[in-house]
Amino acid sequence: MTPREMQEAMLSARSVAARARIMRHCHRELTTAIIQAVGDGDIDAFTAALEAARYEPGLAPALRQIARMQKPPSAAFRRDVRDFLIRSGDILREETGNDLILVEALRVLLPPYRGGSLRVFRGDSASNWRRRTYGHSWSFEREVADRFAAGVQWRRYVGGSVVLEADAPPEAILCVIPKRADLGEEREAVIDRRRLGAVRVVHRYAPLSREEFLAEMK
């Protein structure tokens, strides 16, 4: 069922229960389509099904199945997923709603890392640092992390934002994004936060006031 067909079916449903059944049926079909696309190595089918499955209950059911796959996808497909992650990583994280499920799926979907330990940096909210709930995208360049921490995205939270530094052991590194893949803007590593050691705060930014926030949003 395509998103358009689902919308038409939902509009024609005569009750809340009927709409819920249609939504569950559609989502099961989309989850199957995502898994099939991974097995087939079809990045276009994969991204199209991901887009359609973003709605409740989101991408977590499909990603759980991917994390349990016994046979990894092809190397070419993994490179395609890596490039997709560069463009849509934030959306993927938001629509999954669970960082740990996403990381386990990315271990299957991304080209594996074969090197040693790396020093990495991330700009994040102070509250995420305190809870150790920072995301999977880390940079090799402190300046990049500083730019993110100084921006509106993280400084709008209570406690402001922080620049984080960590020495990531090999088991914490899922994948390294080569420069040519991210258009030379930054070098990035995909990190499993559970396997990081000490995460240090190397700079703090105060939270934005309401006036500063409104000015930044203009």
Side-chain angles (χ1 to χ4, degrees), residues 10-218:
M10 293 280 286
L11 290 172
S12 65
R14 297 187 177 184
S15 67
V16 172
R19 287 194 290 273
R21 284 195 298 272
I22 291 167
M23 180 68 78
R24 288 194 298 270
H25 172 72
C26 180
H27 206 274
R28 283 195 298 270
E29 286 192 351
L30 289 168
T31 296
T32 299
I34 291 170
I35 303 304
Q36 183 67 45
V38 174
D40 293 343
D42 188 337
I43 191 64
D44 292 332
F46 176 73
T47 55
L50 283 180
E51 172 64 27
R54 287 170 54 184
Y55 307 101
E56 190 68 28
L59 303 178
L63 295 180
R64 283 195 185 95
Q65 291 190 43
I66 291 171
R68 295 194 296 266
M69 292 178 73
Q70 297 300 309
K71 182 181 179 182
S74 69
F77 181 78
R78 286 178 156 195
R79 290 192 295 271
D80 287 338
V81 172
R82 177 197 65 193
D83 295 344
F84 168 75
L85 191 71
I86 295 166
R87 302 188 303 272
S88 305
D90 289 341
I91 294 174
L92 192 59
R93 185 187 184 197
E94 290 170 6
E95 300 301 335
T96 301
N98 186 309
D99 286 345
L100 304 184
I101 291 172
L102 175 58
V103 163
E104 289 303 318
L106 291 178
R107 281 193 180 276
V108 175
L109 292 172
L110 291 173
Y113 177 68
R114 305 295 189 195
S117 299
L118 297 171
R119 179 160 294 183
V120 291
F121 301 88
R122 178 175 170 84
D124 214 320
S125 68
S127 57
N128 274 344
W129 168 66
R130 285 193 294 270
R131 295 193 302 263
R132 293 179 62 85
T133 53
Y134 21 78
H136 61 263
S137 296
W138 292 66
S139 177
F140 295 137
E141 302 171 25
R142 176 171 169 171
E143 293 79 7
V144 172
D146 195 276
R147 189 163 65 243
F148 277 99
V152 175
Q153 178 182 3
W154 298 126
R155 292 185 66 195
R156 62 194 173 103
Y157 291 100
V158 174
S161 63
V162 291
V163 179
L164 303 174
E165 176 188 73
D167 293 313
E171 60 269 21
I173 305 167
L174 277 65
C175 180
V176 168
I177 310 297
K179 270 197 170 182
R180 65 180 182 277
D182 66 7
L183 305 179
E185 294 180 2
E186 64 169 300
R187 293 191 67 219
E188 180 182 339
V190 181
I191 298 293
D192 182 345
R193 69 186 185 219
R194 296 168 298 178
R195 291 171 167 82
L196 283 174
V199 176
R200 303 173 290 276
V201 174
V202 294
H203 193 76
R204 293 178 181 269
Y205 285 94
L208 292 173
S209 66
R210 182 176 182 276
E211 292 74 19
E212 289 172 326
F213 176 76
L214 292 175
E216 289 285 346
M217 295 303 293
K218 287 182 179 179

